[in-house]
Amino acid sequence: MASGAPLVMGVLNVTPDSFSDGGRFADIEAALAQARALVAAGADWLDVGGESTRPQAQPVTEEVELARVLPVVRALREQLDAPVSIDTRKPGVARAAIAAGASMWNDITALTGAPESLQMAAKIGAPVVLMHMQGEPATMQDAPHYEDALAEVCAWLGARAEAAMAAGVPKEAIWLDPGIGFGKRLEHNLALLARLDRLVALGFPVLLGASRKRTVQYIDPTAVDPMDRLGGSLAIALHGARAGVAMVRVHDVRETVQALKVQAAILAARRLA
Ligand code: HH2
């Protein structure tokens, strides 16, 4: 592990259609109960999302997304201490959520989602996650193509970080994310996971999100149900920690925190041995 265990971001989807937990936390009481459980389990951050971005997901309007996320962000701010990030590609939703108490903008489009995204990120001034995606969620898994996925993703994310800084986002506010499963086949995801150190070497904190994703099913075809992908999700989180990622985005917080702690203890003992 580069320097200690990564932070853990718990996923809080307030959507009817997310791929692994759609509909479970769509009403505010259920969302708050889940948020409390995630924090009690050790989540350092909560990532609130109001639009599913799973393959084939259909976009929602800004009004619908705001109505889903704002009451939850406000309630979290009032009732819990954990910082909240807002998972949205819409600059208007990011601005409103930050005003309501969120502290980070998690943007799966890396500030390409709208013409004003870059300027909005600079104006908001909060940390922003720039994630790589090839195409759009509705069609991104139809025909992903790369000559060299690792080189292309690193170059693209580096360029997006430059664009954000040129627009006025401070360097220390920028996070990068390889976007596991976003317009990528298994071979592309594996190329990125195998050399996460190359992304870390760009000099920005890296967020890694592979929890319950289909990448695990491609390796273990029996894991058809996302709930059956915990083992693979933990393996990827542990691998990310050893490669130096700064935060992992997961659904199963308790299990991930425990796995990271055990790995950290073993690595610390090895250093003493
Ligand atoms: N993955 C998902 C959503 N947002 N954000 C970042 N930065 N990185 C990711 O890997 C990432 C993300 C997809 O997972 P989930 O939120 O569980 O599903 P859905 O998009 O169906 O709501």
Side-chain angles (χ1 to χ4, degrees), residues 42-241:
D44 300 289
W45 280 81
L46 294 171
D47 190 36
V48 175
E51 178 186 47
S52 174
T53 49
R54 70 185 156 74
Q56 280 117 45
Q58 293 306 316
V60 298
T61 65
E62 181 153 333
E63 292 66 37
V64 168
E65 204 177 327
L66 283 169
R68 288 177 182 172
V69 299
L70 282 188
V72 175
V73 171
R74 279 196 203 104
L76 290 176
R77 188 204 181 135
E78 283 161 17
Q79 301 185 28
L80 287 175
D81 287 334
V84 170
S85 79
I86 177 69
D87 183 354
T88 184
R89 39 189 175 161
K90 299 189 185 70
V93 174
R95 183 190 51 206
I98 301 269
S103 316
M104 182 188 256
W105 180 3
N106 173 20
D107 185 2
I108 62 154
T109 74
L111 303 177
T112 67
E116 68 276 22
S117 292
L118 280 167
Q119 276 66 38
M120 186 65 85
K123 197 166 144 194
I124 290 173
V128 57
V129 179
L130 307 178
M131 196 198 79
H132 177 275
M133 167 167 64
Q134 189 179 84
E136 284 284 311
T139 53
M140 66 190 176
Q141 291 306 109
D142 292 354
H145 177 78
Y146 303 82
E147 296 299 325
D148 179 338
L150 176 67
E152 287 167 46
V153 170
C154 286
W156 191 83
L157 285 175
R160 292 311 300 157
E162 291 295 333
M165 289 188 284
V169 179
K171 177 171 193 281
E172 51 287 0
I174 296 174
W175 289 64
L176 302 181
D177 184 327
I180 298 300
F182 283 87
K184 296 171 184 87
R185 295 190 195 286
L186 174 63
E187 71 208 77
H188 307 135
N189 291 316
L190 286 176
L192 290 164
L193 290 169
R195 295 308 310 268
L196 277 174
D197 57 309
R198 294 269 291 275
L199 188 55
V200 170
L202 293 183
F204 299 89
V206 170
L207 173 64
L208 179 65
S211 181
R212 298 184 185 170
K213 286 191 179 169
R214 213 171 296 175
T215 301
V216 174
Q217 186 194 346
Y218 293 142
I219 298 168
D220 171 9
T222 68
V224 178
D225 183 343
M227 301 302 270
D228 288 335
R229 299 175 191 163
L230 176 59
S233 304
L234 292 175
I236 296 174
L238 292 176
H239 167 72

